[in-house]
Amino acid sequence: MQPYIDFVMELDRLKAVTRKVKPTGLDRYENSAEHSWQIALLAAALAPLADAPVDIDRVIRMLLVHDIGEIDTGDTIVFAEGGWEERKAAEQAAVTRIFGHLPDGGGDGFLELWREFEAAETPEARFANAVDRAMPALLNLANEGQSWRENGISYARVVARIGPPIEAGCPALWAYMVPRLVEARDRGWFGA
Amino acid sequence: MQPYIDFVMELDRLKAVTRKVKPTGLDRYENSAEHSWQIALLAAALAPLADAPVDIDRVIRMLLVHDIGEIDTGDTIVFAEGGWEERKAAEQAAVTRIFGHLPDGGGDGFLELWREFEAAETPEARFANAVDRAMPALLNLANEGQSWRENGISYARVVARIGPPIEAGCPALWAYMVPRLVEARDRGWFGA
């Protein structure tokens, strides 16, 4: 039993990894654990609107593990330039170590799920990536662009970075977001 | 699309519902969103040790939704006496309202999953309840009994309240915890 306990106590550290956006109504930054919970449920609700039919249970498990590598590396804003490959290598080392606590070396296929999400090639991974990219923008749309303004992220950069993956995995979600992002730009909710 | 967005923005409020235990190494209380994430993964890892074979994907979805009623009611410590039925009725009203945002009136069977967890009768619900009850105690065992001491919860009360559901859903987990709870008592990590 001890390996399972070691595993779950490692997971506890993801609650300390903070992101750039604040939950609505709270004066603190979101952490990657609560973020993972929220997008797993958003995906479950949105599943009928995925670009291609998906095994939603695999999507959910993928989203629950997708940020675990940050336990060692911390969160990196999706708009960061450079150093991406080194960071992903460090995250892969982290998940290999953390899932390695489990007797079968990877639990319920956790490591494979993490890799599948990163590759973003299967319908499940594309849909999971779409939901993951959309969520902070949805929070910013409810938050007067708090993290965009704080980090000097422009409208053009947001659209270029999150548009393609969201449209690829969940076109209806991107269609919903486009006019709202334009409206946010007109209201001055972006940086620089 | 708007109903899905309304749903996920309601979910955001669970990040503001604080529990009694603190994540390891952090000087703040855990919230119910990050808690739900953690136990979903603990369940996924522990599934082979459930008391009876379980559909682990249903367990995971159950754990992701099991605390959503707290969005309207707040968290109640499992050791609270009295008022339980009223509280559960209020939580049921909350989840009915929140899942009611979704077009099919309950998403991916969310309301049924919530009810199944509460009834704690199916193998999946018993296992989910075991993991849910175990997690705060595991954190307390790593935390010198922080929430037990802060809330004056005795060893006898903990064992009486969490022992039966954990043993019913995951006997191996309870067998692991018993000597550690005794050791915690001997170290003075309980209240009253």
Side-chain angles (χ1 to χ4, degrees):
Chain A
M1 181 57 62
Q2 191 60 49
Y4 299 99
I5 306 301
D6 293 342
F7 169 69
V8 82
M9 294 311 294
E10 286 260 22
L11 294 186
D12 214 49
R13 297 168 54 214
L14 197 63
K15 300 172 185 170
V17 175
T18 51
R19 294 163 50 84
K20 302 300 182 198
V21 74
K22 296 178 180 177
T24 41
L26 295 181
D27 190 26
R28 64 165 177 85
Y29 293 99
E30 181 183 52
N31 69 64
S32 293
E34 62 195 354
H35 160 70
S36 298
W37 166 80
Q38 185 173 33
I39 59 176
L41 282 175
L42 176 56
L46 276 181
L49 301 179
D51 179 52
V54 293
D55 174 348
I56 187 59
D57 289 309
R58 209 161 90 235
V59 173
I60 291 171
R61 282 189 268 121
M62 208 179 285
L63 288 171
L64 293 177
V65 303
H66 83 292
D67 270 344
I68 288 179
E70 298 178 357
I71 285 173
D72 284 358
T73 66
D75 176 59
T76 303
I77 191 164
V78 71
F79 305 104
E81 306 288 354
W84 198 256
E85 283 185 21
E86 292 77 358
R87 211 170 298 118
K88 286 297 159 191
E91 287 182 16
Q92 172 140 355
V95 295
T96 302
R97 181 181 66 74
I98 293 165
F99 297 142
H101 283 293
L102 296 171
D104 53 3
D108 188 25
F110 287 147
L111 189 56
E112 290 69 26
L113 287 166
W114 184 88
R115 287 194 181 122
E116 183 177 346
F117 178 87
E118 289 294 323
E121 285 165 0
T122 63
E124 283 78 11
R126 284 191 291 115
F127 181 57
N129 271 276
V131 172
D132 181 44
R133 293 297 178 90
M135 195 68 239
L138 294 173
L139 289 173
N140 268 307
L141 289 172
N143 212 355
E144 304 193 349
Q146 164 260 323
S147 85
W148 295 327
R149 286 184 289 107
E150 286 182 9
N151 294 282
I153 311 293
S154 69
Y155 166 83
R157 219 159 141 210
V158 169
V159 168
R161 190 62 84 125
I162 73 173
I166 299 174
E167 191 163 26
C170 191
L173 180 55
W174 183 240
Y176 169 90
M177 292 175 73
V178 167
R180 284 161 182 84
L181 291 167
V182 169
E183 192 184 348
R185 180 191 59 188
D186 295 345
R187 290 184 177 177
W189 291 359
F190 288 91
Chain B
M1 182 57 63
Q2 190 60 49
Y4 298 99
I5 307 302
D6 293 342
F7 170 69
V8 80
M9 295 309 296
E10 285 260 21
L11 295 187
D12 214 49
R13 297 169 54 214
L14 197 63
K15 300 171 186 171
V17 174
T18 50
R19 296 164 47 86
K20 303 299 182 199
V21 74
K22 296 178 180 179
T24 40
L26 295 181
D27 190 26
R28 64 163 178 85
Y29 293 99
E30 180 184 52
N31 70 64
S32 292
E34 62 196 353
H35 160 70
S36 298
W37 166 80
Q38 185 173 33
I39 59 175
L41 283 176
L42 176 56
L46 276 181
L49 301 179
D51 180 53
V54 292
D55 173 347
I56 188 58
D57 289 309
R58 209 162 89 235
V59 173
I60 290 171
R61 283 189 267 121
M62 209 179 284
L63 288 171
L64 293 178
V65 302
H66 84 292
D67 270 345
I68 288 180
E70 296 176 358
I71 285 173
D72 284 358
T73 67
D75 176 58
T76 303
I77 191 163
V78 70
F79 305 103
E81 305 288 355
W84 198 256
E85 283 185 23
E86 293 77 358
R87 211 171 297 119
K88 285 298 160 192
E91 286 183 16
Q92 172 138 355
V95 295
T96 303
R97 180 181 67 73
I98 292 165
F99 297 143
H101 283 293
L102 296 171
D104 53 2
D108 189 26
F110 288 147
L111 189 57
E112 291 68 27
L113 287 166
W114 185 88
R115 286 196 181 120
E116 184 177 346
F117 178 87
E118 289 295 322
E121 285 166 0
T122 63
E124 283 78 11
R126 284 191 290 114
F127 181 57
N129 270 275
V131 173
D132 181 45
R133 293 298 178 89
M135 195 67 239
L138 294 173
L139 289 173
N140 268 307
L141 289 172
N143 212 355
E144 304 194 350
Q146 164 261 324
S147 85
W148 295 328
R149 285 182 289 106
E150 285 183 9
N151 294 281
I153 311 293
S154 70
Y155 167 81
R157 219 160 140 209
V158 169
V159 169
R161 189 63 83 126
I162 73 173
I166 299 174
E167 191 163 27
C170 190
L173 180 55
W174 184 239
Y176 169 91
M177 292 175 72
V178 167
R180 285 160 182 86
L181 291 167
V182 169
E183 192 184 349
R185 180 191 58 190
D186 295 345
R187 290 183 177 178
W189 290 0
F190 288 91

